[in-house]
Amino acid sequence: MDVLHHLQSIVGPENAIEGNRADKRYGSDETEDLYFPPEWVCKPACTNEVSAILSLAHELNIPVTTRGGGTGLAGGALPVKGGIVLSMERMNQILLIDEENLQVTVQPGVITEVLQDTLKARGLFYPPDPSSRGISYIGGNVSTNAGGPRAVKYGVVRDYVLNLEVVLADGSVIQTGANTLKNSTSYNLTQLMVGSEGTLGVITQIVLKLIPHPVFQLLLLVPFNNPVNACAAVSAIFKAGITPSALEFMERDAIAWSKEYLGQPPLDETDDTQAHLLIELDGFYEAPLYEDVEKINQVVQHFNAGEILFADDEATKKELWALRRHVAHAVKTNSVYKEEDTVVPRAKLPELLAKVKELGKIHGFRSVCYGHAGDGNLHVNILKDSLDEHTWSILLPKAIRQLFEYVHELGGTLSGEHGVGYVQKEYLDTVFSAAEIDLRRQIKKAFDPRGILNPNKLFPDS
Amino acid sequence: MDVLHHLQSIVGPENAIEGNRADKRYGSDETEDLYFPPEWVCKPACTNEVSAILSLAHELNIPVTTRGGGTGLAGGALPVKGGIVLSMERMNQILLIDEENLQVTVQPGVITEVLQDTLKARGLFYPPDPSSRGISYIGGNVSTNAGGPRAVKYGVVRDYVLNLEVVLADGSVIQTGANTLKNSTSYNLTQLMVGSEGTLGVITQIVLKLIPHPVFQLLLLVPFNNPVNACAAVSAIFKAGITPSALEFMERDAIAWSKEYLGQPPLDETDDTQAHLLIELDGFYEAPLYEDVEKINQVVQHFNAGEILFADDEATKKELWALRRHVAHAVKTNSVYKEEDTVVPRAKLPELLAKVKELGKIHGFRSVCYGHAGDGNLHVNILKDSLDEHTWSILLPKAIRQLFEYVHELGGTLSGEHGVGYVQKEYLDTVFSAAEIDLRRQIKKAFDPRGILNPNKLFPDS
């Protein structure tokens, strides 16, 4: 029996097809314009089917690339070695909302926003909200340790994962932990799986911690005439004892392009605003939020902030958030680009931003920067514009290498929330020593001795 | 050159001595009355010395047991295979308080409370506060993933560890991550090290996340005439949207014995109180705390609570916390005992407590239960009283096994904050499958192929 028929006998004929007959999206994600055709696309409906598929792949040494919503920005879901694309689209059930214990058990194919909306209707909050949450899967969020604007107060995905059901490379099924808030029982396999980008096992069930949903939210848009001042204000806000529920940074171009993309009137040309901070506050009582707004107002005046736009009605809040959430699409519409996901200790943001611009001058590229300033997580979008292919493909990787080396000097690293995947793996030596990479290779080998799980990812070619 | 002289050449003659000339405490910790003599006690002063010691031990296949403050309750610091006890007592410096980034870099031998007090003086907060914090080391806290009362709101140690410097078994030195709040750059070695109890490497430097220190705190002691009601009230408080900064449970005996230990007047015999909840609230604004107190008051009335003792002055707060923090010492003074560190989803606490008492009836033991109810973490103290040795050493392990199997059924596990160490390792199969244990053995092998780091710990004898 050939592989296709084997797979069809596991998931049914309609859920296993040859790659060349499958939709093109199974060979790509949101990373640049990369495309790699899979040999087979397979859509399991349950853990047992995933287990049977992996047993088969293990026996026959077939690469398996697990796929969520396909919104990754580091190429983690690309089947670069062909083989099977394991799409989790049919495993999309919210299995149990446990209001007594503030936990939810889900399958990996649930769309992040669907989960959040379902929970919110019950007064429950699952905070991590990557920009792609309208289409990304929760399983992919776990696999990349996704973040989003609210990480600054509420933490990233890994802070909410209590326990995972995982199918290992040989098809055996394990639980990584327990459904408890605390756990000191041997090695933390849960946290090892989070962010491992499908290279250690296939996540088939997820238990998430929930919290009560805050009742009040306020939003501020603060303009600055200098992006370095905006970054510096970020640390000062935290030092003043305030923990916003979001603290986002946008360069002038980021907001200007997003306005254009959304069909809004452009920024006034005479306006000398060069950057914005979008600041959200939330809580269970309203009065303290207004006191925090007053404190923030005082802090940002030390950094030459302009007039603050204050949003307490839903329409204005929605409009401001749309501006922020559409920056990435706006950049994509403007130029071919490369997105870097640098992260540093937050007070180092001004230095990081200055370095990006300095490298741009040296190597001749424009960049648009924005991101989760409260976490020190700056998305650096390098624009191709009219750069020739030689500069783009040969010189640019050198500039990126210099950027990551500098990020490492600042105590940071190359990805805050996107992952390493396929497109960042050759840069790993800018932030890790040979011993640090080798130890991770040993872990990979312990989990997946035959190397069938998402091969040619995470590690530099050796 | 013999081993002693080798070690002395690394750390100086006064900092490496033969075990039989060393203080007895280097062969024991706070776990029951266990004692294992080390062959050598060695006290390095810096990372380079740790690296040299491990290189030597690796070459000569000598067991190395790293030791913090010696306050462990699972025997993790016991040198059960002899060899070198590596005491971190001289590596006790707070290296950098980074107020801009809200981070602190410390050596592992810093006493937890010293660190907390130093930070508090600057308005900074490192929340994890195990009961032993007055003598425990931060390195030991990281190695066991310690918790404490405030975990319910602020999380456990692992939630604060950003990055670690670790000396591997062969003496090489690595960083596990970066000094950033977010990180999606390959496998999370930081979280793998946290809670690994000295079996994967020696932690020589720790970067911790800090938060602003809350300004207001209120404390309530709520009596219940039924311990199961008290446990049930815990979930109801969270469901009401309140997240206390501590939510502790104590059985009548726990509080009675602690009062006696502290020389306070005993509980009134006519008082029908059978359990207490100690509830702390904190924040940056005072008014919302009083609103939360009112909400809690309403919630607990549904569970037949008695009259609430409300503490807003420092003296009363201190007195109430002393009662809670001295329960363990009080139990120790009363009887030989075994302490179990069970943890379940918090709404399962009433069932867990009922099971403990049922097992006590079946097997003939008394127990005193208390712990971090907000986290579902119940410390079960089984008292030897006048039980004979046969019952204590043969029948009791069977009862504990039954308890852990039940805990696993409830979605829980055998240790919430103490670790597995030496005394719990034979119970591991009550909560893990063979595949789950084997995978962890493979990780151990990847880090420590010769098995020199804290041998005969964490894994059942095979």
Side-chain angles (χ1 to χ4, degrees):
Chain A
M1 195 155 64
D2 65 11
V3 173
L4 181 66
H5 285 96
H6 253 303
L7 292 173
Q8 288 180 332
S9 75
I10 296 167
V11 296
E14 68 284 18
N15 295 311
I17 51 174
E18 285 178 314
N20 53 22
R21 303 183 57 183
D23 191 301
K24 275 235 163 190
R25 71 191 162 93
Y26 291 105
S28 65
D29 60 10
E30 289 288 316
T31 312
E32 304 162 23
D33 53 359
L34 297 170
Y35 173 72
F36 295 87
E39 286 164 271
W40 304 278
V41 174
C42 196
K43 305 172 187 174
C46 64
T47 305
N48 284 344
E49 291 183 6
V50 173
S51 172
I53 295 164
L54 286 192
S55 296
L56 177 73
H58 193 251
E59 196 189 316
L60 302 178
N61 261 306
I62 300 171
V64 177
T65 303
T66 310
R67 180 186 179 81
T71 59
L73 293 165
L78 301 172
V80 296
K81 291 284 188 188
I84 299 166
V85 161
L86 196 68
S87 173
M88 305 309 273
E89 62 199 77
R90 294 174 67 220
M91 293 180 67
N92 62 356
Q93 299 302 303
I94 299 174
L95 299 172
L96 177 68
I97 299 176
D98 179 351
E99 297 194 40
E100 292 291 320
N101 290 301
L102 294 181
Q103 295 179 4
V104 63
T105 305
V106 297
Q107 290 187 311
V110 175
I111 289 175
T112 312
E113 197 169 41
V114 169
L115 175 64
Q116 289 178 319
D117 290 349
T118 307
L119 294 168
K120 192 178 177 184
R122 301 191 189 199
L124 302 173
F125 193 25
Y126 167 71
D129 57 344
S131 288
S132 58
R133 64 179 173 169
I135 41 173
S136 71
Y137 291 0
I138 190 73
N141 292 180
V142 172
S143 294
T144 52
N145 189 21
R150 298 207 168 82
V152 65
K153 177 171 179 179
Y154 292 106
V156 293
V157 170
R158 79 168 186 84
D159 297 304
Y160 292 85
V161 182
L162 297 179
N163 198 3
L164 296 169
E165 180 187 78
V166 171
V167 180
L168 298 177
D170 66 358
S172 55
V173 182
I174 65 162
Q175 302 284 323
T176 57
N179 297 355
T180 55
L181 292 168
K182 296 164 82 175
N183 192 340
S184 289
T185 313
S186 189
Y187 306 146
N188 195 332
L189 298 189
T190 307
Q191 294 297 325
L192 190 57
M193 285 303 305
V194 174
S196 64
E197 303 187 48
T199 64
L200 299 181
V202 178
I203 295 168
T204 46
Q205 206 163 292
I206 302 160
V207 182
L208 297 167
K209 174 177 106 169
L210 305 175
I211 56 179
H213 206 293
V215 181
F216 300 101
Q217 283 182 331
L218 299 177
L219 196 61
L220 313 173
L221 188 68
V222 189
F224 293 84
N225 59 12
N226 178 330
V228 171
N229 269 352
C231 287
V234 169
S235 278
I237 289 168
F238 287 95
K239 279 184 75 180
I242 298 161
T243 305
S245 51
L247 211 173
E248 298 287 303
F249 168 83
M250 289 171 285
E251 274 197 308
R252 182 185 173 95
D253 277 354
I255 214 163
W257 293 9
S258 191
K259 272 177 172 289
E260 193 189 336
Y261 181 84
L262 292 168
Q264 294 180 8
L267 288 175
D268 188 338
E269 284 297 322
T270 63
D271 185 344
D272 68 348
T273 298
Q274 291 300 317
H276 286 90
L277 291 181
L278 184 67
I279 307 175
E280 188 191 75
L281 298 163
D282 73 358
F284 291 89
Y285 296 101
E286 201 166 16
L289 300 186
Y290 285 97
E291 294 193 46
D292 277 351
V293 168
E294 191 38 52
K295 284 187 198 168
I296 289 173
N297 188 28
Q298 285 167 23
V299 169
V300 297
Q301 295 319 319
H302 294 112
F303 299 89
N304 280 319
E307 197 179 340
I308 296 176
L309 175 60
F310 178 79
D312 58 355
D313 65 290
E314 284 314 305
T316 316
K317 283 187 215 170
K318 215 169 164 179
E319 193 183 316
L320 290 182
W321 269 119
L323 267 184
R324 167 61 188 88
R325 288 199 183 271
H326 286 90
V327 173
H329 294 122
V331 170
K332 206 164 189 169
T333 310
N334 253 276
S335 167
V336 170
Y337 73 108
K338 270 199 185 293
E339 178 162 354
E340 307 305 334
D341 178 37
T342 52
V343 60
V344 293
R346 75 165 77 94
K348 304 287 187 187
L349 268 181
E351 289 160 70
L352 173 58
L353 189 66
K355 186 71 173 187
V356 171
K357 299 303 170 183
E358 181 199 324
L359 285 170
K361 270 185 196 152
I362 293 170
H363 297 281
F365 62 77
R366 270 205 310 164
S367 61
V368 180
C369 296
Y370 63 96
H372 315 299
D375 296 309
N377 186 193
L378 191 73
H379 297 316
V380 179
N381 287 263
I382 301 172
L383 307 178
K384 186 162 186 288
D385 290 339
S386 57
L387 288 180
D388 61 74
E389 278 307 319
H390 174 77
T391 307
W392 187 246
S393 61
I394 308 293
L395 297 185
L396 190 67
K398 287 182 189 161
I400 294 172
R401 194 159 260 281
Q402 287 169 348
L403 176 63
F404 289 163
E405 279 163 0
Y406 185 71
V407 161
H408 187 234
E409 266 175 50
L410 295 178
T413 191
L414 62 81
S415 175
E417 56 179 21
H418 294 170
V420 174
Y422 181 65
V423 297
Q424 306 295 22
K425 67 196 177 83
E426 298 304 335
Y427 299 108
L428 223 58
D429 64 337
T430 60
V431 297
F432 293 141
S433 70
E436 287 158 5
I437 295 175
D438 182 61
L439 191 58
R440 289 178 169 89
R441 279 196 203 274
Q442 297 303 319
I443 292 171
K444 165 72 174 170
K445 208 179 277 179
F447 277 75
D448 179 21
R450 299 192 184 175
I452 62 167
L453 293 173
N454 210 4
N456 207 16
K457 300 286 173 67
L458 264 191
F459 295 99
D461 291 340
S462 52
Chain B
M1 194 154 64
D2 66 11
V3 173
L4 180 66
H5 285 96
H6 253 302
L7 292 173
Q8 288 180 333
S9 74
I10 295 167
V11 295
E14 68 284 18
N15 295 311
I17 52 175
E18 285 178 316
N20 53 21
R21 304 181 58 182
D23 191 300
K24 275 237 164 189
R25 71 191 162 93
Y26 290 105
S28 66
D29 61 10
E30 289 289 317
T31 312
E32 303 162 23
D33 53 357
L34 297 171
Y35 173 73
F36 295 86
E39 286 163 90
W40 305 278
V41 174
C42 197
K43 303 172 188 175
C46 64
T47 304
N48 285 345
E49 291 182 6
V50 173
S51 172
I53 295 163
L54 286 192
S55 294
L56 177 74
H58 193 250
E59 195 189 318
L60 303 178
N61 260 305
I62 301 171
V64 177
T65 303
T66 310
R67 180 185 177 80
T71 60
L73 293 165
L78 301 172
V80 296
K81 291 283 187 188
I84 299 166
V85 161
L86 195 69
S87 173
M88 304 309 274
E89 63 198 76
R90 294 174 67 220
M91 293 181 65
N92 62 356
Q93 300 301 305
I94 298 174
L95 298 172
L96 176 69
I97 300 177
D98 179 352
E99 297 194 40
E100 292 290 320
N101 289 302
L102 295 180
Q103 296 179 2
V104 63
T105 304
V106 297
Q107 291 186 311
V110 175
I111 289 175
T112 312
E113 193 166 42
V114 170
L115 175 64
Q116 289 178 319
D117 290 349
T118 306
L119 293 168
K120 192 178 176 183
R122 302 192 188 199
L124 302 173
F125 193 25
Y126 168 71
D129 58 343
S131 289
S132 57
R133 63 178 174 169
I135 40 172
S136 71
Y137 292 0
I138 190 72
N141 292 180
V142 172
S143 294
T144 53
N145 188 20
R150 298 209 167 82
V152 65
K153 177 170 179 179
Y154 291 106
V156 295
V157 169
R158 80 169 185 83
D159 297 305
Y160 292 85
V161 182
L162 297 179
N163 198 2
L164 296 169
E165 180 188 78
V166 171
V167 180
L168 299 177
D170 65 359
S172 57
V173 182
I174 65 161
Q175 302 284 323
T176 57
N179 297 356
T180 54
L181 292 169
K182 296 164 82 175
N183 192 340
S184 289
T185 313
S186 189
Y187 306 146
N188 195 330
L189 297 189
T190 308
Q191 294 297 325
L192 190 56
M193 284 303 304
V194 173
S196 65
E197 304 187 48
T199 64
L200 300 181
V202 178
I203 295 167
T204 47
Q205 205 163 292
I206 302 160
V207 181
L208 296 168
K209 174 177 105 169
L210 305 175
I211 55 179
H213 206 293
V215 181
F216 299 100
Q217 283 183 331
L218 298 177
L219 196 60
L220 314 173
L221 188 68
V222 189
F224 293 84
N225 59 12
N226 177 330
V228 171
N229 270 351
C231 287
V234 169
S235 277
I237 289 168
F238 287 96
K239 278 185 74 179
I242 299 161
T243 304
S245 52
L247 211 174
E248 299 286 301
F249 168 83
M250 290 170 283
E251 274 197 307
R252 181 184 174 96
D253 277 355
I255 214 163
W257 292 9
S258 191
K259 272 176 171 287
E260 190 188 337
Y261 180 84
L262 291 167
Q264 295 180 7
L267 288 175
D268 188 337
E269 284 297 321
T270 63
D271 185 345
D272 68 349
T273 298
Q274 291 301 316
H276 285 91
L277 292 181
L278 183 67
I279 306 174
E280 188 191 75
L281 299 162
D282 73 0
F284 290 90
Y285 296 100
E286 202 165 15
L289 300 187
Y290 285 97
E291 294 193 48
D292 277 351
V293 169
E294 191 40 51
K295 284 187 197 167
I296 289 174
N297 189 28
Q298 285 167 24
V299 169
V300 297
Q301 295 320 317
H302 294 113
F303 299 90
N304 279 321
E307 198 180 337
I308 296 175
L309 175 60
F310 178 79
D312 58 356
D313 66 290
E314 283 315 304
T316 316
K317 282 187 215 169
K318 215 169 166 179
E319 193 183 316
L320 290 182
W321 269 120
L323 267 183
R324 167 61 188 88
R325 290 199 183 271
H326 287 89
V327 172
H329 295 121
V331 169
K332 207 164 190 169
T333 311
N334 254 274
S335 166
V336 170
Y337 74 108
K338 270 198 184 292
E339 178 162 355
E340 306 304 335
D341 178 35
T342 52
V343 61
V344 292
R346 74 165 77 95
K348 304 289 187 186
L349 268 182
E351 289 160 69
L352 172 58
L353 189 66
K355 186 71 171 188
V356 171
K357 299 304 171 184
E358 180 198 323
L359 286 170
K361 272 186 194 148
I362 294 170
H363 297 282
F365 62 78
R366 269 207 310 164
S367 61
V368 180
C369 296
Y370 64 95
H372 315 298
D375 296 308
N377 186 195
L378 192 73
H379 297 317
V380 179
N381 286 263
I382 301 173
L383 307 177
K384 185 161 186 289
D385 289 337
S386 57
L387 288 180
D388 62 72
E389 278 306 321
H390 175 77
T391 307
W392 187 246
S393 61
I394 307 293
L395 297 185
L396 189 66
K398 287 182 188 162
I400 293 172
R401 193 160 261 282
Q402 287 169 348
L403 176 63
F404 289 162
E405 281 163 359
Y406 186 71
V407 161
H408 187 235
E409 267 175 50
L410 295 178
T413 190
L414 63 80
S415 176
E417 56 180 21
H418 294 170
V420 173
Y422 181 66
V423 297
Q424 306 294 21
K425 67 195 176 82
E426 298 304 333
Y427 299 109
L428 223 58
D429 64 336
T430 60
V431 295
F432 293 141
S433 69
E436 287 158 4
I437 295 175
D438 182 62
L439 192 58
R440 289 177 168 88
R441 280 196 203 273
Q442 298 301 322
I443 292 172
K444 166 72 173 168
K445 209 178 278 179
F447 276 76
D448 179 21
R450 299 192 184 174
I452 63 167
L453 292 173
N454 211 3
N456 206 17
K457 300 286 173 66
L458 264 191
F459 295 100
D461 291 341
S462 52

